[in-house]
Amino acid sequence: MTDMLSNCPALGRRDLMSLVSVMGVASLAGTNVHASGIQGRLPANVNLKDPAFNLSTLTRLQGDVSEKVSYGFQHGQVYGLLNGRNLPLNEYGRKIYGYEGGSVRKARILPDGSVQSVSRGWLFYTDPETGEYMTNFKNPYTNDMVEVPIFRAGISGDTATINGPKTSANFTMESTVYDRPPQLDYAFFGDRAWVSRYAFTRWQPRGLPNKRTEMTLDVWDCAAADIFNPRKTYIPSRSTWTSQTEFQTWLKMPLEISGHQLWRADGVRVNRIADLPEKFVERCMA
């Protein structure tokens, strides 16, 4: 894993978004301000709706902006939900599988205040019962055995600006975060802060006739004081990531099955590879 930034095949939109959320293309999103428990004690010079302030907060939550390398890890589950009224509960929803994702990231602040980053990611699906990494999977909706993809992404980069993210992708995509100022939703309780952002995205997978849509929601739990300290180049936090989207194509779902997937994961970012789960690191190196 010492050569984590070497070239390798690029991954698709769905798997890119389901790595640690720090790698999400939809890196900036919609704002309201709720200051429970701390209102009246906010620094006088802080405007929670200021795009520059939100840009600084978001990019420091996503990783260190002082060009130090950091490592992300995410552990999550994927659920299937079918459309239709009065379905038996065991048909309406079920846990399909789990996954573990990770990333390595390096970022720097540009002279205009934008943040340029480069990253690489991994994602592996796990058995819903044993937690072991899967290479094959029996689709519970069709009872067909399907091959499980393994994602080791190529190096990718983007620039977060006060006018939205500037990025490139090998597929056509539109998002509610493009061409607009970065905005976040803040909630405070005592000395803690919850910072969240959402995005709605549509993209055209290569080789497929239909576009796909997705909603993503990121939430970070951090110390409120770290948000207001511009000298901190990284805001330590615990994160959660939620996504709603169509069934993945590798499941080979029949068109007559109508439903979607709900993804939910917990994440953390560390400064050393040694702090990542050993089994996950071994999988990345395999």
Side-chain angles (χ1 to χ4, degrees), residues 14-160:
R14 152 87 331 245
D15 309 283
L16 176 67
M17 290 301 294
S18 59
L19 296 172
V20 285
S21 57
V22 298
M23 295 184 64
V25 175
S27 59
L28 307 166
T31 295
N32 290 305
V33 177
H34 306 284
S36 306
I38 200 171
Q39 186 67 44
R41 293 189 286 125
L42 295 176
N45 62 338
V46 169
N47 176 4
L48 296 182
K49 295 184 179 181
D50 176 27
F53 179 81
N54 286 326
L55 175 64
S56 173
T57 300
L58 178 61
T59 53
R60 290 184 297 134
L61 284 166
Q62 292 177 324
D64 200 305
V65 295
S66 67
E67 298 192 73
K68 294 179 181 178
V69 175
S70 62
Y71 305 90
F73 176 74
Q74 192 177 61
H75 175 85
Q77 299 82 35
V78 182
Y79 303 88
L81 301 172
L82 296 184
N83 298 330
R85 295 183 178 181
N86 300 319
L87 290 174
L89 288 179
N90 63 345
E91 293 183 21
Y92 163 67
R94 67 182 74 191
K95 182 167 73 172
I96 310 178
Y97 38 76
Y99 76 92
E100 290 182 348
S103 69
V104 55
R105 182 178 187 269
K106 185 177 181 180
R108 62 171 181 158
I109 302 175
L110 301 179
D112 66 355
S114 300
V115 176
Q116 184 182 67
S117 64
V118 61
S119 58
R120 183 187 175 194
W122 294 256
L123 188 143
F124 310 113
Y125 295 101
T126 59
D127 186 279
E129 300 299 329
T130 67
E132 295 298 315
Y133 297 122
M134 299 191 302
T135 56
N136 293 284
F137 174 68
K138 187 176 182 180
N139 184 331
Y141 297 102
T142 65
N143 290 321
D144 293 333
M145 192 67 67
V146 295
E147 183 178 353
V148 177
I150 295 176
F151 294 98
R152 294 181 173 90
I155 301 171
S156 63
D158 64 70
T159 302

Side-chain angles (χ1 to χ4, degrees), residues 160-239:
T161 79
I162 60 171
N163 296 310
K166 307 298 180 184
T167 187
S168 60
N170 58 2
F171 43 81
T172 302
M173 183 170 62
E174 56 184 304
S175 176
T176 57
V177 303
Y178 287 161
D179 302 317
R180 64 190 64 190
Q183 299 177 334
L184 298 172
D185 187 9
Y186 297 88
F188 299 93
F189 188 83
D191 61 356
R192 303 299 298 175
W194 295 299
V195 183
S196 63
R197 56 138 172 141
Y198 63 87
F200 301 96
T201 305
R202 178 181 294 115
W203 73 100
Q204 177 72 60
R206 289 189 302 173
L208 295 178
N210 298 321
K211 293 183 178 180
R212 300 173 65 84
T213 56
E214 176 181 35
M215 176 192 175
T216 55
L217 174 66
D218 294 274
V219 181
W220 292 269
D221 175 10
C222 64
D226 289 345
I227 295 175
F228 306 119
N229 183 358
R231 292 188 297 274
K232 289 191 73 72
T233 58
Y234 171 58
I235 301 175
S237 67
R238 294 291 186 268
S239 64

